[in-house]
């Protein structure tokens, strides 16, 4: 289903959900939950957004049933730890590549995905100062390295 | 019709909020 333009800012979180559907359904579930909550704040009044959000809610309810055996879904505190560990793992992989001078598409994507997952952590409550800093750094690094590679420059 | 439209919209919005709360075991 096409994403209404009013909900454009959740498109990357929804794409991350799609990419993790098989690899890590818990990540997919919480990315969609974040998109749902954010989408409702952005616009849940216009018919096109309501329609989109109702579909997304249907999908979340189905996923919750299918994943009911997973404690990361039935207990949000476990889910919180799962998403935080995953985000930090992504961040550390990209950071390690960065510090070793290995710049490539995969590490840019890891930095960016980590930053999106730090956004997702906000469904569990206010982000810690450390996670806010990690998110800022990961997003900046992803943009910076992407631009360097695009312009044929070596990142510093 | 404007107010009917508005109340339909807010009822649907409410339903969505309720479903979200239920999904998160907050009811």
């Amino acid at each position: 289903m096409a994403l209404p333009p009013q909900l454009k800012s959740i498109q990357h979180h929804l794409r991350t959900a799609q990419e993790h559907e098989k690899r890590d359904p818990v990540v997919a579930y919480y990315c969609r939950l974040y998109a749902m909550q954010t989408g409702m704040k952005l616009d849940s009044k216009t018919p096109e957004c309501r329609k989109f959000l109702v579909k997304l809610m249907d999908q979340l309810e189905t996923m919750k049933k299918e994943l009911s055996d997973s404690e990361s879904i039935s207990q949000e505190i476990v889910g919180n730890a799962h998403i935080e560990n995953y985000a930090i793992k992504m961040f550390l992989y990209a950071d390690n590549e960065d510090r070793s001078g290995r710049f490539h598409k995969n590490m840019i994507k890891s930095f960016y995905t980590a930053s999106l997952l730090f956004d997702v952590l906000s469904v569990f409550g206010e982000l810690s100062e450390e996670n806010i800093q990690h998110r800022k750094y990961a997003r900046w690094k992803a943009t910076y390295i992407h631009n360097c590679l695009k312009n044929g420059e070596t990142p510093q | 019709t404007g107010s009917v439209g508005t109340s339909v919209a807010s009822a649907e919005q409410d339903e969505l909020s309720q479903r979200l709360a239920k999904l998160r075991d907050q009811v």
Side-chain angles (χ1 to χ4, degrees):
Chain A
M1 197 178 168
L3 183 71
Q6 301 94 307
L7 304 180
K8 201 177 165 227
S9 68
I10 57 173
Q11 67 176 333
H12 298 289
H13 303 88
L14 289 172
R15 191 180 304 143
T16 304
Q18 218 167 7
E19 288 166 356
H20 286 79
E21 202 83 72
K22 294 215 162 60
R23 209 192 316 170
D24 193 327
V26 172
V27 169
Y29 176 82
Y30 283 108
C31 283
R32 287 198 177 111
L33 183 59
Y34 171 84
M36 182 75 214
Q37 287 202 162
T38 310
M40 281 176 70
K41 282 180 206 152
L42 289 169
D43 185 349
S44 60
K45 287 192 178 116
T46 59
E48 67 271 26
C49 288
R50 257 199 335 261
K51 205 172 160 193
F52 185 89
L53 292 171
V54 166
K55 281 265 174 218
L56 184 58
M57 182 61 84
D58 291 343
Q59 202 176 14
L60 276 165
E61 287 168 346
T62 305
M63 283 185 91
K64 193 172 180 186
K65 271 185 211 148
E66 284 171 358
L67 301 168
S68 59
D69 288 345
S70 166
E71 280 196 347
S72 295
I73 299 294
S74 58
Q75 296 177 49
E76 286 202 358
I77 192 163
V78 184
N80 187 350
H82 184 106
I83 302 300
E84 191 166 13
N85 287 339
Y86 195 92
I88 290 171
K89 202 170 87 178
M90 285 251 148
F91 181 91
L92 290 177
Y93 161 74
D95 192 46
N96 189 43
E97 291 297 282
D98 184 24
R99 288 173 201 274
S100 307
R102 291 188 291 268
F103 307 107
H104 47 91
K105 272 188 180 172
N106 208 22
M107 60 93 76
I108 296 172
K109 181 145 193 193
S110 292
F111 264 136
Y112 191 60
T113 304
S115 79
L116 295 174
L117 292 173
F118 286 120
D119 285 338
V120 171
L121 280 176
S122 67
V123 302
F124 305 109
E126 218 172 294
L127 288 189
S128 66
E129 192 50 43
E130 198 185 6
N131 284 340
I132 292 173
Q133 290 308 320
H134 276 133
R135 175 172 66 179
K136 199 174 161 189
Y137 182 82
R139 201 157 286 171
W140 174 74
K141 272 284 179 186
T143 312
Y144 170 69
I145 298 170
H146 170 80
N147 288 336
C148 284
L149 296 189
K150 198 172 80 179
N151 300 326
E153 294 163 7
T154 305
Q156 299 294 310
Chain B
T1 53
S3 69
V4 173
T6 312
S7 35
V8 169
S10 65
E12 285 179 8
Q13 202 181 333
D14 248 24
E15 193 204 320
L16 217 46
S17 303
Q18 280 170 18
R19 284 174 71 186
L20 182 63
K22 199 175 167 209
L23 186 81
R24 305 195 65 193
D25 299 319
Q26 288 171 342
V27 283

